Amino acid sequence: MSEKILRALMQLFAIIAKGAEQPDTRRLVVADFLQKYLNADQVDNYLQVYDSFFNELEFGTTDTQRRKKTAVSSVKVIVICNQLNEELSPRQKVFVLLYLLDFLHSQELMNEQELEFVNTVASSFNISEGQFQEMLDFADPNTDPALKANANLLSITSHKAATDLAGKRLIAESLPHPVFVLRISSAALFLIRFMGDAGLTINGQRLAKNKVTVFAPGSSVRGNTIQPIFYSDVARCFMSHRADEAVSFEVKDIQYRFKSGKLGLQTLRFTERSGHLMGIMGGSGAGKSTLLNILNGNNPPTAGKVLINGIDLHKEKAQLEGLIGFVPQDDLLIEELTVFENLYFNSRLCFNQLTEKEIADKVLQLLNDIGLYEARDLKVGNPLEKTISGGQRKRLNIALELIREPSVLFLDEPTSGLSSRDSENIMDLLKELSLRGKLVFVVIHQPSSEIFKMFDKLLILDVGGYPVYLGDPVESVIYFKRAAAYVDAEESECLTCGNVNPEQVFSILEARILDENGNPSGERKVLPKEWNERYQRLLANGKSEAVEKTKPVINFHKPGLWKQFTIFLQRDFFSKLANTQYLLINILEPPLLAFILAFLCRFSLEGQAYTLGDNRNIPAYMFMCVVVSLFIGLTVSAEEIFRDRKILRRESFLNLSKGSYLFSKIVLLFGLSAFQMLIFVWIGNTLLGIQHMHTAYWLVLFTSSCFANMLGLNISASFNSAVTIYILIPFLLIPQLLLSGVIVKFDELNPIISSRAVVPLPGELMTSRWAFEALAVNQFTRNDYEQPLYTLDRAVSLASLKKSWCMTLLNLLDEVEHSGPNVNSNWEVLCNELKAKQSQNNVAALPSLAHSDKATWDALRIYLEAVKGQGGDEYNQAIEARDRFFVEVDKQPGGTDAMNELKKKHHNGKLEDMARNPSFDAPTYQIENERLVTTIDPIFRDGVAESGFRAHFLAPRKYLLGSYLNTFEANLVVIWISTILLGFALYFDVFKRLLTGLEIQFGRLLGMKRKKQIK
Amino acid sequence: MNARILAPALLLTVIACSNPPANQEPAAATTETAKDTAAVEAIDETKEFKFSMVLADIPSPLEIINVLGKSHARFDKGLTNGTANESRYTTSFKRGLNFGVYAIDLGYLAANDQFGNIQTYYNTTKNLAGSLDATEGFNKVAASRIKNYAENKDSVMKVVDEFYTQVDQYLRNNQRLQTATHMLVGGWVESQYLTLNSVKGMENGEDLKKIKEQIFMQKLHLGKIVSVLKDYEKDKEFMPIITEMNALNSLYQAIPSSASIDDATLASLTEKVTAVRGKITN
C-alpha cells in the first residue's frame, strides 16, 4: 500500500469519524484497520496523521451546524477524491474504496451519512452506480452474494453444491464452502469473498471469512483439499467465447529426429484449448525452435501427430490453412514502407473478400488496439536507422499475424531485446488475446516475474529435447524445489512482494556437480533424461481434457493468383518509390552513363565537323551499350530476392503463391529496364547522330537488360549473403565481354575453341554476342544509306567470293595432281566443297568424284572453269546493276553529292570494316575441318543450311527449319528464350538446388579429409 | 617498219610477255562459248588479242612520271586528285578510271619524294582496287612493303610500278578487259595532265627537252589507245570520254616532232587534257 493511499484514507476516515457519534470508537477502528496492514511503527505514524487530520476538522454540535459542516466536508471529500483521481490508477481507486467499505463495515451498520459519503467517493472516482451497488452488496458481510446474482458475479463451488446457484459457475472439486467472485470491469480486477472460515489462502495469505479481497492477475487461491484456482481460470469464465472459434490443440506423442539421426525432440504429449497462453522455455539446445516448427506446421514430426480439432496438421494442411499464425524472431517488415502500409499490404493478401476501404479500416482499428495508431505514417526503417522503436517494431510484427485473427498463434521470443516495459506491454497484449479466446504459444527466455505469472501453462524443455515440466508456471518453482529437496519448497513467491524467480527453476535444472575444489564442473547433477522420467510420472497423474471435434472457422481468404500478383506489384512499387536513394541511382545512372559514353566516343576528324560516317568508335560504342545494359540489369536485380527472403519464408508459410511474387518482381524489373534503356538510347544515340534507329537499339538493349534482370534474380534467390552475390557479378560479366566477338575475334581465340565457319560454342552462350550481333547487323544493313544498296552490294560480294572459291579449288586441284592418285586431305576438301555448293554452281554437271585419277581431274578442271565463268558473269551483272543504281542516283536532284551526304550521316566506316572484314594479306579461302572457309564479307553471307541455326558472326540471316530468318529478329528471340528458361529455373529453384548439392558433396569431401587427418 | 615482220614479232612478244599465273588458261585456249549469257563483256578473244597486241608495247604511264620526277620540274601537290573525291566514284566505270588516276598520283608523289602523303594515296588506291575486285594484284604486293620503303624513292617507285602492273595483268587475264581499259585511260590521261601542267614556266634546258620527247612519244601511244576505244563506243558512260579522247588524238597527231612543241602547242594540249581529266575526276 502506498503512502499516498494511506494518507488519503486517513483524511477520509477523519472526515467520516468527525461526523460520527462516537469518534473515539472510530479511532479504535482506524487503529485496528492499520494494524492489519502495517507494522507497529507505521501504525503509530499514521494514527498521528489521522489525528492531525481529525483535529483540523471542525464540526458543530447542533444538527444544523452539523449538517452544514457535513455539506462542507462533502465538498472537501470531493476535492480530495478529485486529487486522488488524478494520482491513482483505476485499480488503486478500487483498493481505496474497498478499504473504506471495510472500514465502515468494521462496525455493524453503516448509517445514511456514511453511505452517502461512500457514494460521493465512488462517484468522484468515476465508478458507475451499478458497479458501485454491486460492490456494496458484495462487500456487505450481512448479505449472501448468491442471492444477488448478476452478470459480474461468479460462484466457485464444489460439484455437489452447484445445483441451486444461478449465474456463472466454476467447479472446484472438494471446495468446502463457496467462493464468490465479483468482476470490476472498469479496473480489470476481481473481488473475491470466501464464505467459509478457514483453509484457503490467496497468494500465501489466509482468506478470512466474508472478507473481500482483491484477486489480481497472477494470483491463485490455494487450499489443502483443492487444486489451485488461478486468476485466468476465473477470468476465462467471464469471457464469452463463440463456440465455433473453440480450438483444441492435441499433441500426440510427437518425436523429431534430425537428418543426422540424432533425436531433436523426445516424446511429447499434451492438449491445450483456446483461451490459454502457454509458455515454452528451455536452455540453449533444448529444442524450442524445433518444437515450434513442428507445432506450427512447418516441419512434420518423425513420429506422432499434431491434431487440431481432430484434423492432422501436417497431413491435411490445406484444411487448416490460415488457422495458425506464426511470428518468428526475425523482422518481417518492409523498411521503406510506413507502419500502415506494411500492415495494409499484408492484409490485402489475407482478406480477399473485403474491399480496400474495409481492409484499411480494419488495419487502422488494429493499429489503435495495439497502440501504434500515432506511429502509423512513420517509415519502418531498419534497426540501424530507427524511425520507430524496437517495441513498436515487435508489435507491428505481431500485428501482421494478428490481423488475420488466427485461432492459434505461435511466437518465437517476442520479448527479446526489448525493455521490461515494452516486454510487459507485449505480454499484456498476448494475454488479452488468450483471454479473448485465442490459443497462444510463446517461446520465451528470462521472463520477468510479472510475465512469468501471466502464463496459464508452462512447458520446460531440457537439453536434447526432453520435456521436463508441463503445468502452472508458479507451481514449477515448487516442483523443482521439491525435487531438489529444498527446505522452503512450498514457497513459490516471495512473501512480501509476490515476486517469482524463474531463474530458480533453471538453476536447479541445470545444477552442476562440484569438483574437489568446490567449483562447478561441466557435468550436470541431474541429467535431462532423469528429469524427463520424473516428468512422465507427473503426467501419469494428470487429468485429460475434453477435446473439440468440430471444424474451426477460419478467417483467412487468400486472394487468387492474379490478385496476389497485383498486390505484390503494388507493394513492391510503393516500397521502391519510397526509397529515394534507390530511385535516384537507378533513374540517373542510365542517362549519366549514356552521356559519358557518347561524349567520349564522339570522334571527329581534325578540322572537320562531326559525322557518323567518320566516327571511328561506333562499334566500340555499340559494344559498350550492350555491356552497360547487362551490367545495369544485373546490379538492379541482384539483391531483390535476397532482401525479401524472410518475408518470403513467411509468405510460403501462409501458402501464398511464389509464382505471383516472382512474376510481380519480374514485371517491375522489366518495367524499370525498359525505362532505363529508353533514356539511355535516347541520349546516347542522339549525341552520336545515330538516326532512325532508336527503336531497334532500344529493343536490343531492353532485351539484354531483361536477360540480365532474370539472371540477377536467379543469383539473388540462390545465395546466402549479399556479398557473395556481388562478388559473383564480375564472374558473370567477364565471359560476356570476352566472348562477345568484339574484343577478341572468334577466329582468333585459342585454336582449340576458335572457329571460322561458325561462332564457337562458348560464344553461342553469351548474350552479349547475340545482342551485339543484332545491333551491328541492323546498323549496317538497315541504315538509310545502305538499305537500298544492300542487295546490290551483296550480289557483287557473293559473285566475287565465288570466283575466289573457284580459284582456290583450282589451286587445290593442282596440288592433288602433283601428289598423285592417293586420297589425301586436299582431295577430301575438294570433294566436300564441290558437293556442298553443287546446287549453286548449276552451270554444268558435277563430274563423278568416285576416283581420284587423271580423268576425274581433267573433268573437274573443266567444271571449275565453267563455274568460274559463271561467277564472272554473275559478277559483271551485279556490278552493272549497282552501276545503274548509281547512275540513277546521279540523275536525282543533289546527285551523287547528296548520296554521299546521306552516307556520311548514316553509314559508319569503322563498322563497315568490321562487317566486311577485308583482308589484303591472307588468302580469301582457308582450310578448316576439311572445308573451305572465309572470313571475308560476313555481312553478305547468310548462315548455311547445313550448320542449322549456327552461323558465322555477323551473318545477316540465319537458317532454321527450312527458311531464312533475319538476324536481328532471330537474335532477339534467342535472348528472350534464354530469359524465359532462366525464369523457369528461378521458379523451380534450379540453381539453389545445384548449389546445395555441390555444397553437400564438397562438405563430404572435406569431412572425409578431416577424418583421415584425425586418424 | 615492215608490217609482215612486225605482226609475228608482236605476236611472239605477246606470247612471251604474257605470263599468266600457272592455273590460268591462256585466253587463246578458251573455246567454250557456253558463257554466252547476257553479259556486258562477252569473252571475245579477238578483242582480247587486239587489246594485248595493241597495248603490248605501251609503257606504263609511270614511265613518264619517272622522267618528270628526275627533272627539275616544279612539284605541285594541287595537281593530284584529292583523295576525298574517292567517295564520288560510285560506278565501276568511274572507279576504274580513277584507280588509274590515283595510281599515277601515287607514282608522282613517290617520284617527288613526297613520302608524307604516300600512305593516304596508297590506301585510296587499295580501296578502289577492292571495290573493283582486283585485290589479287595487291595480294602480291604486301602493304608492309610500302611502309618499309617509305623513305626510299626508288623502292617505292618500284612497288608502285609492280602493283600497277599486277592489277592490270590480273584484270586482263580474268576477262576484265573493260576495267583494264578504264584503268589505262585514266592513268594515261592523268600522266599527261601532270606532265603538261608541270612544264608550265619551265626553263629551256635538257630536262624540258627530255619531257618534250616523252610528250611526243605519246602520239603513238594515244593512237593505239584510241583504236582500242573504238570497241567501247556503244557504252553510254564511256562515250563522252571517248569523244574527248578522239579530239585529243587529233591534236596529238598534228604534232610533227618533239622539237616543234612550243608554248602554244603545250597550251592547247594542256587545255584539252585538263578538260578530259576534269570529266574523269569529276
Short mmCIF file of all heavy atoms in Angstrom, two decimals, chain A residues 211-249:
data_model
loop_
_atom_site.label_atom_id
_atom_site.label_comp_id
_atom_site.label_asym_id
_atom_site.label_seq_id
_atom_site.Cartn_x
_atom_site.Cartn_y
_atom_site.Cartn_z
N LYS A 211 -14.58 -11.68 4.13
CA LYS A 211 -13.76 -10.51 3.88
C LYS A 211 -13.49 -10.42 2.39
O LYS A 211 -13.17 -11.39 1.72
CB LYS A 211 -12.43 -10.66 4.64
CG LYS A 211 -11.57 -9.44 4.50
CD LYS A 211 -10.49 -9.51 5.53
CE LYS A 211 -9.36 -8.57 5.25
NZ LYS A 211 -9.33 -7.83 4.08
N VAL A 212 -13.68 -9.22 1.90
CA VAL A 212 -13.49 -9.02 0.46
C VAL A 212 -12.01 -8.75 0.19
O VAL A 212 -11.42 -7.84 0.78
CB VAL A 212 -14.33 -7.83 -0.03
CG1 VAL A 212 -13.96 -7.51 -1.47
CG2 VAL A 212 -15.81 -8.17 0.07
N THR A 213 -11.44 -9.55 -0.70
CA THR A 213 -10.03 -9.34 -1.06
C THR A 213 -9.94 -9.13 -2.57
O THR A 213 -10.81 -9.60 -3.32
CB THR A 213 -9.19 -10.58 -0.70
OG1 THR A 213 -9.77 -11.23 0.40
CG2 THR A 213 -7.76 -10.19 -0.42
N VAL A 214 -8.89 -8.47 -2.93
CA VAL A 214 -8.68 -8.25 -4.37
C VAL A 214 -7.99 -9.48 -4.96
O VAL A 214 -7.06 -10.02 -4.39
CB VAL A 214 -7.81 -7.00 -4.60
CG1 VAL A 214 -7.35 -6.94 -6.04
CG2 VAL A 214 -8.60 -5.75 -4.23
N PHE A 215 -8.50 -9.90 -6.13
CA PHE A 215 -7.92 -11.06 -6.84
C PHE A 215 -7.24 -10.53 -8.10
O PHE A 215 -7.88 -10.25 -9.10
CB PHE A 215 -9.07 -12.01 -7.19
CG PHE A 215 -8.63 -13.38 -7.63
CD1 PHE A 215 -7.45 -13.95 -7.15
CD2 PHE A 215 -9.40 -14.11 -8.51
CE1 PHE A 215 -7.05 -15.22 -7.55
CE2 PHE A 215 -9.01 -15.38 -8.91
CZ PHE A 215 -7.86 -15.95 -8.43
N ALA A 216 -5.91 -10.34 -8.00
CA ALA A 216 -5.19 -9.68 -9.11
C ALA A 216 -4.63 -10.72 -10.10
O ALA A 216 -4.49 -11.89 -9.74
CB ALA A 216 -4.06 -8.86 -8.52
N PRO A 217 -4.27 -10.30 -11.30
CA PRO A 217 -3.69 -11.24 -12.27
C PRO A 217 -2.45 -11.89 -11.71
O PRO A 217 -1.61 -11.23 -11.09
CB PRO A 217 -3.33 -10.34 -13.47
CG PRO A 217 -4.24 -9.18 -13.36
CD PRO A 217 -4.49 -8.97 -11.91
N GLY A 218 -2.33 -13.15 -11.91
CA GLY A 218 -1.19 -13.89 -11.40
C GLY A 218 -1.45 -14.51 -10.05
O GLY A 218 -0.66 -15.33 -9.57
N SER A 219 -2.55 -14.14 -9.45
CA SER A 219 -2.83 -14.71 -8.14
C SER A 219 -3.46 -16.07 -8.27
O SER A 219 -3.98 -16.43 -9.33
CB SER A 219 -3.78 -13.81 -7.36
OG SER A 219 -3.54 -12.47 -7.63
N SER A 220 -3.44 -16.79 -7.17
CA SER A 220 -4.13 -18.07 -7.15
C SER A 220 -4.65 -18.33 -5.76
O SER A 220 -4.05 -17.89 -4.77
CB SER A 220 -3.20 -19.20 -7.58
OG SER A 220 -2.02 -19.15 -6.82
N VAL A 221 -5.76 -19.02 -5.73
CA VAL A 221 -6.35 -19.42 -4.45
C VAL A 221 -5.99 -20.87 -4.21
O VAL A 221 -6.25 -21.72 -5.07
CB VAL A 221 -7.89 -19.26 -4.48
CG1 VAL A 221 -8.52 -19.84 -3.23
CG2 VAL A 221 -8.26 -17.79 -4.65
N ARG A 222 -5.39 -21.12 -3.09
CA ARG A 222 -4.97 -22.50 -2.82
C ARG A 222 -5.55 -23.02 -1.52
O ARG A 222 -5.89 -22.26 -0.62
CB ARG A 222 -3.44 -22.56 -2.72
CG ARG A 222 -2.77 -22.26 -4.04
CD ARG A 222 -1.32 -21.84 -3.82
NE ARG A 222 -0.84 -21.19 -5.02
CZ ARG A 222 -0.26 -21.84 -6.03
NH1 ARG A 222 -0.09 -23.13 -5.99
NH2 ARG A 222 0.13 -21.19 -7.11
N GLY A 223 -5.61 -24.33 -1.46
CA GLY A 223 -6.07 -24.98 -0.23
C GLY A 223 -5.59 -26.40 -0.21
O GLY A 223 -5.15 -26.93 -1.24
N ASN A 224 -5.70 -27.00 0.96
CA ASN A 224 -5.20 -28.37 1.08
C ASN A 224 -6.04 -29.36 0.30
O ASN A 224 -5.54 -30.36 -0.20
CB ASN A 224 -5.17 -28.80 2.55
CG ASN A 224 -4.08 -28.05 3.29
OD1 ASN A 224 -3.08 -27.66 2.69
ND2 ASN A 224 -4.28 -27.83 4.57
N THR A 225 -7.31 -29.06 0.23
CA THR A 225 -8.20 -30.06 -0.38
C THR A 225 -8.41 -29.86 -1.87
O THR A 225 -8.91 -30.74 -2.54
CB THR A 225 -9.59 -29.99 0.30
OG1 THR A 225 -9.97 -28.61 0.33
CG2 THR A 225 -9.50 -30.53 1.72
N ILE A 226 -8.03 -28.67 -2.31
CA ILE A 226 -8.39 -28.37 -3.71
C ILE A 226 -7.17 -28.16 -4.60
O ILE A 226 -6.07 -27.90 -4.11
CB ILE A 226 -9.26 -27.10 -3.80
CG1 ILE A 226 -8.51 -25.91 -3.16
CG2 ILE A 226 -10.62 -27.31 -3.15
CD1 ILE A 226 -9.08 -24.59 -3.54
N GLN A 227 -7.44 -28.26 -5.88
CA GLN A 227 -6.45 -27.83 -6.87
C GLN A 227 -6.44 -26.31 -6.88
O GLN A 227 -7.48 -25.70 -6.65
CB GLN A 227 -6.86 -28.32 -8.27
CG GLN A 227 -6.78 -29.81 -8.47
CD GLN A 227 -5.35 -30.25 -8.74
OE1 GLN A 227 -4.45 -29.40 -8.86
NE2 GLN A 227 -5.14 -31.55 -8.87
N PRO A 228 -5.32 -25.68 -7.12
CA PRO A 228 -5.29 -24.21 -7.09
C PRO A 228 -6.25 -23.62 -8.12
O PRO A 228 -6.42 -24.16 -9.22
CB PRO A 228 -3.84 -23.86 -7.47
CG PRO A 228 -3.07 -25.12 -7.27
CD PRO A 228 -4.00 -26.25 -7.39
N ILE A 229 -6.87 -22.53 -7.69
CA ILE A 229 -7.75 -21.80 -8.62
C ILE A 229 -6.97 -20.57 -9.09
O ILE A 229 -6.60 -19.71 -8.30
CB ILE A 229 -9.03 -21.35 -7.91
CG1 ILE A 229 -9.74 -22.58 -7.32
CG2 ILE A 229 -9.92 -20.60 -8.88
CD1 ILE A 229 -10.88 -22.22 -6.41
N PHE A 230 -6.75 -20.52 -10.40
CA PHE A 230 -5.91 -19.45 -10.91
C PHE A 230 -6.74 -18.28 -11.39
O PHE A 230 -7.91 -18.41 -11.75
CB PHE A 230 -5.04 -19.95 -12.05
CG PHE A 230 -4.08 -21.02 -11.63
CD1 PHE A 230 -4.32 -22.35 -11.93
CD2 PHE A 230 -2.96 -20.69 -10.88
CE1 PHE A 230 -3.44 -23.32 -11.52
CE2 PHE A 230 -2.08 -21.66 -10.48
CZ PHE A 230 -2.32 -22.99 -10.79
N TYR A 231 -6.12 -17.17 -11.46
CA TYR A 231 -6.76 -15.95 -11.96
C TYR A 231 -7.34 -16.19 -13.34
O TYR A 231 -8.47 -15.81 -13.64
CB TYR A 231 -5.73 -14.82 -11.99
CG TYR A 231 -6.25 -13.56 -12.62
CD1 TYR A 231 -6.96 -12.63 -11.86
CD2 TYR A 231 -6.08 -13.30 -13.98
CE1 TYR A 231 -7.45 -11.47 -12.43
CE2 TYR A 231 -6.56 -12.15 -14.55
CZ TYR A 231 -7.25 -11.24 -13.78
OH TYR A 231 -7.73 -10.11 -14.35
N SER A 232 -6.54 -16.81 -14.21
CA SER A 232 -7.00 -16.97 -15.57
C SER A 232 -8.20 -17.91 -15.66
O SER A 232 -9.06 -17.72 -16.51
CB SER A 232 -5.87 -17.46 -16.46
OG SER A 232 -5.08 -18.38 -15.74
N ASP A 233 -8.27 -18.88 -14.72
CA ASP A 233 -9.45 -19.75 -14.73
C ASP A 233 -10.69 -18.91 -14.49
O ASP A 233 -11.71 -19.08 -15.16
CB ASP A 233 -9.34 -20.81 -13.62
CG ASP A 233 -8.22 -21.78 -13.90
OD1 ASP A 233 -7.91 -21.97 -15.10
OD2 ASP A 233 -7.64 -22.32 -12.94
N VAL A 234 -10.55 -18.01 -13.52
CA VAL A 234 -11.67 -17.15 -13.19
C VAL A 234 -11.97 -16.20 -14.33
O VAL A 234 -13.12 -16.04 -14.76
CB VAL A 234 -11.35 -16.36 -11.89
CG1 VAL A 234 -12.32 -15.24 -11.70
CG2 VAL A 234 -11.35 -17.29 -10.70
N ALA A 235 -10.91 -15.58 -14.84
CA ALA A 235 -11.10 -14.60 -15.93
C ALA A 235 -11.78 -15.24 -17.11
O ALA A 235 -12.63 -14.63 -17.77
CB ALA A 235 -9.75 -14.04 -16.33
N ARG A 236 -11.43 -16.48 -17.36
CA ARG A 236 -11.98 -17.16 -18.53
C ARG A 236 -13.48 -17.33 -18.44
O ARG A 236 -14.20 -17.28 -19.42
CB ARG A 236 -11.31 -18.53 -18.67
CG ARG A 236 -11.39 -19.05 -20.10
CD ARG A 236 -10.39 -20.14 -20.34
NE ARG A 236 -9.05 -19.63 -20.26
CZ ARG A 236 -8.17 -19.96 -19.33
NH1 ARG A 236 -8.50 -20.83 -18.38
NH2 ARG A 236 -6.96 -19.44 -19.33
N CYS A 237 -13.92 -17.52 -17.23
CA CYS A 237 -15.36 -17.71 -17.09
C CYS A 237 -16.13 -16.49 -17.53
O CYS A 237 -17.29 -16.59 -17.91
CB CYS A 237 -15.69 -18.02 -15.64
SG CYS A 237 -14.98 -19.58 -15.13
N PHE A 238 -15.49 -15.34 -17.45
CA PHE A 238 -16.20 -14.13 -17.83
C PHE A 238 -16.09 -13.83 -19.30
O PHE A 238 -16.73 -12.93 -19.81
CB PHE A 238 -15.67 -12.93 -17.02
CG PHE A 238 -16.13 -12.94 -15.61
CD1 PHE A 238 -15.33 -13.43 -14.60
CD2 PHE A 238 -17.40 -12.49 -15.27
CE1 PHE A 238 -15.75 -13.45 -13.29
CE2 PHE A 238 -17.83 -12.50 -13.96
CZ PHE A 238 -17.01 -12.98 -12.97
N MET A 239 -15.23 -14.55 -19.97
CA MET A 239 -15.08 -14.32 -21.41
C MET A 239 -16.17 -15.02 -22.14
O MET A 239 -16.47 -16.17 -21.86
CB MET A 239 -13.74 -14.85 -21.88
CG MET A 239 -12.58 -14.08 -21.33
SD MET A 239 -12.51 -12.49 -22.09
CE MET A 239 -11.34 -11.70 -21.05
N SER A 240 -16.73 -14.33 -23.12
CA SER A 240 -17.73 -15.04 -23.91
C SER A 240 -17.06 -15.58 -25.16
O SER A 240 -16.55 -14.85 -25.97
CB SER A 240 -18.86 -14.08 -24.29
OG SER A 240 -18.30 -12.89 -24.79
N HIS A 241 -17.05 -16.86 -25.30
CA HIS A 241 -16.48 -17.47 -26.49
C HIS A 241 -17.56 -17.79 -27.46
O HIS A 241 -18.66 -18.17 -27.07
CB HIS A 241 -15.82 -18.81 -26.16
CG HIS A 241 -14.67 -18.68 -25.25
ND1 HIS A 241 -13.42 -19.06 -25.59
CD2 HIS A 241 -14.59 -18.22 -24.00
CE1 HIS A 241 -12.61 -18.87 -24.58
NE2 HIS A 241 -13.30 -18.35 -23.59
N ARG A 242 -17.19 -17.67 -28.70
CA ARG A 242 -18.11 -18.21 -29.68
C ARG A 242 -17.74 -19.66 -29.87
O ARG A 242 -16.57 -20.00 -29.97
CB ARG A 242 -17.95 -17.44 -30.98
CG ARG A 242 -18.59 -16.10 -30.84
CD ARG A 242 -18.37 -15.20 -32.00
NE ARG A 242 -18.20 -15.91 -33.26
CZ ARG A 242 -17.50 -15.41 -34.26
NH1 ARG A 242 -16.91 -14.24 -34.12
NH2 ARG A 242 -17.37 -16.05 -35.39
N ALA A 243 -18.75 -20.47 -29.90
CA ALA A 243 -18.48 -21.91 -29.93
C ALA A 243 -17.68 -22.30 -31.16
O ALA A 243 -16.86 -23.20 -31.13
CB ALA A 243 -19.79 -22.67 -29.89
N ASP A 244 -17.91 -21.60 -32.26
CA ASP A 244 -17.22 -22.05 -33.47
C ASP A 244 -15.76 -21.62 -33.52
O ASP A 244 -15.04 -21.96 -34.43
CB ASP A 244 -17.97 -21.57 -34.73
CG ASP A 244 -18.15 -20.06 -34.70
OD1 ASP A 244 -17.80 -19.43 -33.68
OD2 ASP A 244 -18.65 -19.52 -35.69
N GLU A 245 -15.37 -20.83 -32.55
CA GLU A 245 -13.96 -20.44 -32.55
C GLU A 245 -13.14 -21.33 -31.66
O GLU A 245 -11.93 -21.21 -31.60
CB GLU A 245 -13.81 -19.00 -32.09
CG GLU A 245 -14.01 -18.02 -33.22
CD GLU A 245 -13.77 -16.59 -32.75
OE1 GLU A 245 -13.26 -16.41 -31.62
OE2 GLU A 245 -14.08 -15.69 -33.51
N ALA A 246 -13.82 -22.18 -30.92
CA ALA A 246 -13.07 -23.01 -29.97
C ALA A 246 -12.17 -23.99 -30.70
O ALA A 246 -12.56 -24.61 -31.69
CB ALA A 246 -14.05 -23.77 -29.08
N VAL A 247 -10.97 -24.07 -30.23
CA VAL A 247 -9.99 -24.93 -30.88
C VAL A 247 -9.33 -25.78 -29.82
O VAL A 247 -8.99 -25.28 -28.74
CB VAL A 247 -8.92 -24.06 -31.57
CG1 VAL A 247 -7.64 -24.83 -31.76
CG2 VAL A 247 -9.43 -23.55 -32.90
N SER A 248 -9.17 -27.04 -30.11
CA SER A 248 -8.32 -27.81 -29.20
C SER A 248 -7.13 -28.35 -29.97
O SER A 248 -7.25 -28.85 -31.08
CB SER A 248 -9.10 -28.94 -28.53
OG SER A 248 -9.68 -29.74 -29.51
N PHE A 249 -6.02 -28.19 -29.37
CA PHE A 249 -4.73 -28.47 -29.98
C PHE A 249 -4.14 -29.70 -29.31
O PHE A 249 -3.76 -29.65 -28.14
CB PHE A 249 -3.83 -27.24 -29.75
CG PHE A 249 -2.62 -27.21 -30.61
CD1 PHE A 249 -2.64 -26.54 -31.81
CD2 PHE A 249 -1.44 -27.81 -30.21
CE1 PHE A 249 -1.52 -26.46 -32.60
CE2 PHE A 249 -0.31 -27.75 -31.00
CZ PHE A 249 -0.35 -27.07 -32.21
#
